[in-house]
Amino acid sequence: MRNPADLYSVVLTEHEVPRDLPLVIGLTGFVDSGGAVAQVSEYLLDELDHRDVLVFDNDELLDYRARRPIMVFEETRITEYRRPQLALRLAHDELGTPFLLLTGYEPDFQWERFVDALLDIIARYGVASTTWVHAIPMPVPHTRPIGVTVSGTRHELIEQFSVWRPSTQVPGNVLHLLEYRLTESGHPIAGFVLLVPHYLADTEFPSAAVTALESITAATSLLFPTDRLRADGREFLAKIEGQVEGNSELARLVGTLEQRHDSYMEDNPVRSPLTDEDGELPSADAIAAELENFLAFRQSADDDDAV
C-alpha cells in the first residue's frame, strides 16, 4: 500500500493543534436520510469558527463522474467551479471549546488507505475520542422523537440512547470500517445512526439535523447553536401535520406507524417496530405521494426567498 499520508496536505501540524480533542465526523455517502449529515456539516461550518488542519486529495478519492461537481454557467462562460472538499478542521463550539471536525464526501476509492490515514491522524494529533453520525430511512412516524442506533466502544452511550439493536448485515460505509479498526485498538468511538421516517428521507428534515447535533453533544459535551434549525423543524412539522389532518388515508398510515413504534418501545424489546405480525410495512409511496405537493411548495418558497 502506498503511504496513506500522501492522500492529504497538511495545513496545521500536530504542534499547532491542542491534543486530547474529540473528533467529530460526518461524511455524505450513498445515503443521508433527511439530509441530516449534509445539514449538520453545512450548519457547523457556517456557525462556528474553524481552520483547516488537513485537506484530502480529490483526485485520489473522488469519482467525479459519479458525483459531478457543480459548475456555474452565466450566459457565455463558466464563472464558478464548486470544488468538492474533504477536510479536517480545528473548530470551536458555542462556548469556544476546541474540537476536530472531519466533513465532506465519503471517499469513492481507496477505503483501506483512507482509513489507515485517519488512524495515523488520530494517533498523531492525540485524538481523545471519535464520534460519527449517519442517517438511514426507516418506517417510523414523524410524530415521535427520532431514534438512534449507537455502535462502538462507548457502552454508556449505547445503553442510554440506542433504541434499536439489530443483528443483521448492512451495506457498509467507510466510517463503519474506521469504527471496526478503532474498536480493535480500544479507542473510544461512538457511531450514531439516525432512524429517519422513510417518507421524509429524500428531503431536508431539520429535526434530523437537530438530533444529530444532540447526539454529538451527548458524546462530547460540545455545545452548538441550534435555534435556527429547531425553528425550521417546527415549521416543517407543522406543514406536514396540516397535510396529515386533511387526508384520512394519510392519517391512518401515520397512525399505524405510531402504534407499531409505541408498541415496540413499551412492550417488545426484541421484535422490530418496523413490521407487523406478518412482516409487512406500510407503503412509503403512499405517504410520499401525499407529501409531494407540500415538498414541491416548500422548494418553490425557498427559491422565491432566494430571489
Side-chain angles (χ1 to χ4, degrees), residues 243-257 282-283 285-287 289-290:
Q243 295 290 317
V244 172
E245 291 173 3
N247 187 298
S248 60
E249 180 65 14
L250 181 57
R252 186 186 69 80
L253 291 172
V254 172
T256 299
L257 290 176
S283 169
D285 292 339
I287 297 179
E290 297 297 336

Side-chain angles (χ1 to χ4, degrees), residues 84-247:
Q85 191 171 52
L86 173 59
L88 178 71
R89 298 175 173 90
L90 174 62
H92 294 80
D93 76 352
E94 194 169 21
L95 297 181
T97 304
F99 67 101
L100 293 172
L101 176 65
L102 176 63
T103 61
Y105 57 85
E106 178 188 32
D108 295 303
F109 307 116
Q110 304 190 58
W111 277 19
E112 294 278 0
R113 189 171 171 225
F114 175 71
V115 167
D116 280 350
L118 291 183
L119 294 177
D120 290 344
I121 290 164
I122 287 169
R124 187 191 318 161
Y125 287 85
V127 170
S129 66
T130 300
T131 304
W132 64 281
V133 291
H134 182 44
I136 61 174
M138 300 293 267
V140 292
H142 67 275
T143 53
R144 299 294 184 267
I146 295 173
V148 295
T149 290
V150 188
S151 59
T153 61
R154 303 281 303 276
H155 300 295
E156 76 283 6
L157 297 174
I158 294 171
E159 290 302 315
Q160 185 174 357
F161 296 105
S162 191
V163 300
W164 188 50
R165 306 180 190 184
S167 295
T168 187
Q169 299 181 45
V170 298
N173 66 55
V174 76
L175 296 180
H176 285 131
L177 179 57
L178 175 65
E179 180 180 303
Y180 180 73
R181 300 295 188 213
L182 288 174
T183 297
E184 290 180 324
S185 68
H187 177 82
I189 181 167
F192 290 85
V193 178
L194 280 63
L195 311 178
V196 174
H198 59 324
Y199 49 92
L200 298 178
D202 294 330
T203 188
E204 278 197 357
F205 185 21
S207 297
V210 172
T211 299
L213 290 172
E214 290 175 340
S215 299
I216 295 168
T217 293
T220 63
S221 298
L222 296 168
L223 297 177
F224 306 108
T226 59
D227 289 349
R228 177 164 59 85
L229 279 175
R230 292 179 188 276
D232 291 344
R234 289 191 292 269
E235 178 184 354
F236 185 86
L237 289 172
K239 290 181 178 179
I240 291 179
E241 283 304 309
Q243 295 290 317
V244 172
E245 291 173 3
N247 187 298

Side-chain angles (χ1 to χ4, degrees), residues 43-114:
Y43 197 75
L44 292 180
L45 293 178
D46 285 346
E47 296 288 335
L48 303 181
D49 293 331
H50 57 82
R51 297 174 60 192
D52 287 350
V53 175
L54 306 169
V55 179
F56 285 87
D57 186 349
N58 290 338
D59 287 349
E60 293 282 354
L61 299 174
L62 180 66
D63 183 348
Y64 287 91
R65 294 198 300 174
R67 292 191 276 189
R68 295 180 182 270
I70 298 297
M71 306 284 185
V72 178
F73 184 83
E74 295 185 5
E75 297 185 355
T76 61
R77 62 192 181 93
I78 304 297
T79 59
E80 184 181 353
Y81 163 42
R82 296 179 183 172
R83 185 176 184 273
Q85 191 171 52
L86 173 59
L88 178 71
R89 298 175 173 90
L90 174 62
H92 294 80
D93 76 352
E94 194 169 21
L95 297 181
T97 304
F99 67 101
L100 293 172
L101 176 65
L102 176 63
T103 61
Y105 57 85
E106 178 188 32
D108 295 303
F109 307 116
Q110 304 190 58
W111 277 19
E112 294 278 0
R113 189 171 171 225
F114 175 71

Side-chain angles (χ1 to χ4, degrees), residues 8-19 51-54 88 90 100 121 124-126:
Y8 56 83
S9 300
V10 176
V11 180
L12 295 178
T13 70
E14 60 269 33
H15 305 296
E16 300 173 275
V17 176
R19 296 184 69 80
R51 297 174 60 192
D52 287 350
V53 175
L54 306 169
L88 178 71
L90 174 62
L100 293 172
I121 290 164
R124 187 191 318 161
Y125 287 85

